[in-house]
């Protein structure tokens, strides 16, 4: 499965973002993601139990703070890789004094734009 935060129709709520960032394990995962990593690599670098790690990765990807992609391996044992999907997060009060969230995302690479375009073409066929 690939979860691309830029392909999400709606932004996560401020509550979802705050819940993910309030979690110490989630913050530890983000701190350790200097480059894309598999869950196995994150388990080693973060020292988080595997079952907990997968729950936190789901929380972070659902809140669009992480991007999940698939690493294709020759042996057929493909693995998900996770990368940080934001550069800055801003919480603001709107006109009704409700919290809103704005997420500044890094620009897509040429490969990412091509993959996105190819996905859209495949969906239409």
């Amino acid at each position: 499965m690939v979860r691309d935060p830029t392909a999400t129709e709606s932004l996560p709520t401020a509550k979802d973002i705050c819940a993910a960032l309030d979690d110490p394990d989630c913050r530890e995962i983000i701190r350790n993601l200097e480059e894309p990593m598999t869950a196995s690599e994150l388990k080693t670098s973060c020292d988080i139990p595997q079952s907990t790690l997968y729950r936190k990765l789901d929380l972070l990807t659902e809140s669009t703070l992480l991007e999940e992609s698939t690493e294709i391996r020759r042996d057929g044992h493909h693995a998900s890789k996770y990368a940080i999907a934001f550069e800055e997060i801003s919480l603001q009060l709107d006109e009704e004094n409700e919290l809103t969230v704005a997420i500044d995302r890094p620009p897509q690479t040429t490969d990412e734009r091509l993959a996105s375009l190819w996905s859209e073409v495949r969906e239409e066929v």
Side-chain angles (χ1 to χ4, degrees), residues 44-67:
T44 302
S45 69
C46 296
D47 195 31
I48 298 173
Q50 186 170 352
S51 61
T52 302
L53 178 72
Y54 281 107
R55 280 196 317 273
K56 303 307 177 173
L57 289 172
D58 280 342
L59 177 61
L60 287 164
T61 53
E62 291 299 319
S63 61
T64 72
L65 299 178
L66 292 186
E67 174 184 34

Side-chain angles (χ1 to χ4, degrees), residues 15-27 30 59-60 63 65:
K15 180 181 176 183
D16 295 335
I17 297 289
C18 290
L21 294 175
D22 187 44
D23 187 289
D25 289 332
C26 289
R27 290 193 309 270
I30 291 170
L59 177 61
L60 287 164
S63 61
L65 299 178

Side-chain angles (χ1 to χ4, degrees), residues 93-110:
L93 284 175
D94 65 13
E95 297 81 30
E96 287 120 29
N97 283 338
E98 295 287 328
L99 279 178
T100 60
V101 65
I103 301 174
D104 185 20
R105 306 241 183 240
Q108 285 187 315
T109 65
T110 304

Side-chain angles (χ1 to χ4, degrees), residues 30-41:
I30 291 170
R31 264 194 298 279
N32 281 275
L33 274 173
E34 293 178 15
E35 61 184 39
M37 298 172 80
T38 64
S40 177
E41 294 166 334

Side-chain angles (χ1 to χ4, degrees), residues 3-13 62 64 105 120 123:
R3 289 190 268 187
D4 178 4
T6 61
T8 304
E9 294 287 325
S10 61
L11 285 175
T13 65
E62 291 299 319
T64 72
R105 306 241 183 240
E120 289 175 23
E123 286 176 10

